[in-house]
Amino acid sequence: MNTKNSNYYAILMAGGVGSRFWPVSTQDFPKQFHDMLGTGDTLIQKTFNRLAQLIPQENIFILTNERYNDLVFEQLPQVTKRQVVLEPAMRNTAPCILYASLKIEKENKDAVMIVAPSDHWIEDEQAFSENVKTAFDYCESNDALMTLGITPTFPNTGYGYIEYDESASTAIKQVSQFREKPDYATAKSFIDQGNFLWNAGIFMWSVKSVVSAFKNNQPELFQLFESGYNVYNTEHEDEFIKENYKKAENISVDYALMEKSSNVFVIPATFDWNDLGTWGSLYDKLDKDEDHNAVVNAKILLEDSSGNMIRSKKGKVVVIDGLKDYIVVDKEEVLLIFPKTKEQDIKKVLQNVKATFGEQYG
């Protein structure tokens, strides 16, 4: 890799709650701030370090909810106040990306940037950097909104899909359309067709292209945030955002821009990817014993038990007999023992727990 380009920027998205990882992930301490795989790094640290291989460290902006401000500085002591962009209200991905993009534009009109979630697991970090560099090169000389798509390994119904034009022989493909999360039969037909990718929510574009796309596709949202342009990157910015952010529409960047624009391109990723959205996806990533149990932190004694995902605090002894395909998560005041096949219901269970025992458990 050459020396880092000062026009390269990143927006690291770290505002989500990750409720399907309850009880480890809670509203006060969500999954991106946990070392979910027991590697010694939290997910946000891992993502920051991955981005910093290509992008100057000072150009990586962390987008998060204001309640996580202290956690960000605790886990990323190398970042400055300038780099932490706080949302005073939850408003989905479009408003915060527009806000951060205008701040970056004011600082550097030649910027190209990547928007990357903080909770993805990517093993081949060099391949990731190469894919992003290919996108940046294209975005510097073309008006393009780009995304990285993941080649599907099975008919997953939990992801949206990107359909692309197969006639392009280059690495960069024109997107035909975005497709919502499909049912199983539809997902299977997507895979059979061969020109569909999983939508990983990783985007690249020049600041010029993304600001102009917001201006054309979301004039009201654009006007709202543009009206604060003079105060961005000054001491009066916080005041403006506190006052105006809550007025923004709750809308995703996929819906606000990507599905409405004709200049959308995708690069099929050349790296392994896992979105670490659920205990099952974490289980898939971890090493297993001969009975296919995956363990984080615990000291275990297992009898007649297989296919389990087990997590406790470091060094805790966990004894299990006769359990198959379960999620077992022990955390101070909550113990979860739940069938892996029903992991999508954990969100609902969390709501019930909070309603029955109080908000402090979620």
Side-chain angles (χ1 to χ4, degrees):
M1 288 277 154
N2 307 334
T3 51
K4 292 173 194 164
N5 185 326
S6 61
N7 289 338
Y8 287 2
Y9 282 74
I11 297 176
L12 198 168
M13 308 287 281
V17 176
S19 51
R20 285 175 301 176
F21 266 120
W22 182 79
V24 166
S25 183
T26 62
Q27 203 141 13
D28 289 334
F29 204 125
K31 66 173 173 179
Q32 58 272 27
F33 301 107
H34 288 278
D35 174 7
M36 294 303 299
L37 289 104
T39 61
D41 277 331
T42 65
L43 294 178
I44 195 172
Q45 289 169 335
K46 196 94 180 117
T47 306
F48 186 93
N49 296 337
R50 182 189 317 128
L51 293 168
Q53 291 177 25
L54 179 69
I55 292 156
Q57 211 166 272
E58 66 278 11
N59 288 357
I60 302 174
F61 286 75
I62 318 295
L63 244 174
T64 192
N65 191 279
E66 60 183 13
R67 67 182 343 176
Y68 307 136
N69 184 49
D70 293 351
L71 278 172
V72 169
F73 286 112
E74 216 171 277
Q75 298 203 358
L76 300 172
Q78 64 274 57
V79 307
T80 62
K81 184 176 184 310
R82 165 187 152 272
Q83 290 166 263
V84 181
V85 182
L86 299 174
E87 310 162 85
M90 295 277 209
R91 283 293 180 276
N92 215 319
T93 51
C96 57
I97 289 171
L98 172 57
Y99 167 33
S101 301
L102 288 168
K103 279 173 65 65
I104 291 169
E105 182 194 47
K106 193 170 176 188
E107 181 174 295
N108 181 350
K109 287 190 168 16
D110 297 319
V112 285
M113 62 171 122
I114 175 172
V115 175
S118 56
D119 52 359
H120 288 180
W121 185 257
I122 292 169
E123 300 216 349
D124 188 344
E125 298 196 333
Q126 191 174 341
F128 170 79
S129 290
E130 283 162 10
N131 284 173
V132 174
K133 173 88 170 69
T134 302
F136 279 177
D137 289 348
Y138 190 81
C139 292
E140 279 179 322
S141 45
N142 296 277
D143 177 21
L145 304 177
M146 298 200 68
T147 182
L148 286 177
I150 309 298
T151 304
T153 46
F154 68 99
N156 195 317
T157 56
Y159 300 139
Y161 283 70
I162 301 165
E163 182 181 353
Y164 64 85
D165 178 355
E166 344 179 42
S167 59
S169 53
T170 54
I172 295 169
K173 320 281 187 192
Q174 175 108 33
V175 170
S176 316
Q177 58 177 326
F178 286 84
R179 307 288 285 260
E180 298 296 320
K181 293 174 183 175
D183 58 26
Y184 185 79
T186 312
K188 208 167 161 350
S189 78
F190 288 171
I191 289 181
D192 294 342
Q193 286 171 67
N195 61 325
F196 283 81
L197 300 164
W198 288 336
N199 182 358
I202 303 170
F203 306 106
M204 289 107 355
W205 39 54
S206 68
V207 74
K208 282 189 199 80
S209 292
V210 72
V211 168
S212 127
F214 271 113
K215 193 175 183 172
N216 297 333
N217 293 303
Q218 299 297 330
E220 273 181 45
L221 196 62
F222 178 76
Q223 235 172 338
L224 175 66
F225 283 96
E226 222 263 335
S227 67
Y229 200 79
N230 290 338
V231 299
Y232 291 156
N233 309 339
T234 75
E235 62 197 288
H236 302 294
E237 177 181 335
D238 290 356
E239 204 180 314
F240 170 82
I241 287 298
K242 271 199 172 40
E243 180 57 38
N244 291 282
Y245 198 90
K246 57 182 178 287
K247 300 176 190 168
E249 188 186 346
N250 191 350
I251 183 172
S252 73
V253 76
D254 295 75
Y255 190 72
L257 294 193
M258 305 305 275
E259 293 178 18
K260 289 181 164 55
S261 306
S262 52
N263 57 333
V264 181
F265 298 85
V266 64
I267 295 177
T270 58
F271 50 82
D272 275 4
W273 172 88
N274 188 308
D275 80 330
L276 292 190
T278 62
W279 286 112
S281 62
L282 178 63
Y283 171 86
D284 292 341
K285 271 315 317 152
L286 292 165
D287 292 335
K288 326 277 188 295
D289 66 15
E290 62 278 11
D291 293 316
H292 309 289
N293 296 297
V295 181
V296 178
N297 297 338
K299 291 178 171 173
I300 53 164
L301 210 53
L302 300 181
E303 192 66 50
D304 187 27
S305 295
S306 60
N308 297 302
M309 167 72 235
I310 301 161
R311 191 185 198 275
S312 71
K313 67 176 191 198
K314 249 194 173 27
K316 184 155 193 172
V317 173
V318 177
V319 182
I320 297 176
D321 191 342
L323 202 61
K324 291 181 175 54
D325 298 324
Y326 265 72
I327 297 161
V328 179
V329 181
D330 179 52
K331 181 174 177 265
E332 293 92 44
E333 67 288 359
V334 178
L335 170 64
L336 176 77
I337 303 170
F338 208 75
K340 250 179 19 199
T341 51
K342 292 173 71 178
E343 64 167 13
Q344 294 296 342
D345 296 344
I346 288 178
K347 253 183 166 170
K348 277 188 235 152
V349 170
L350 168 58
Q351 296 315 319
N352 290 342
V353 167
K354 288 202 288 197
T356 311
F357 303 110
E359 287 292 320
Q360 72 269 30
Y361 293 101

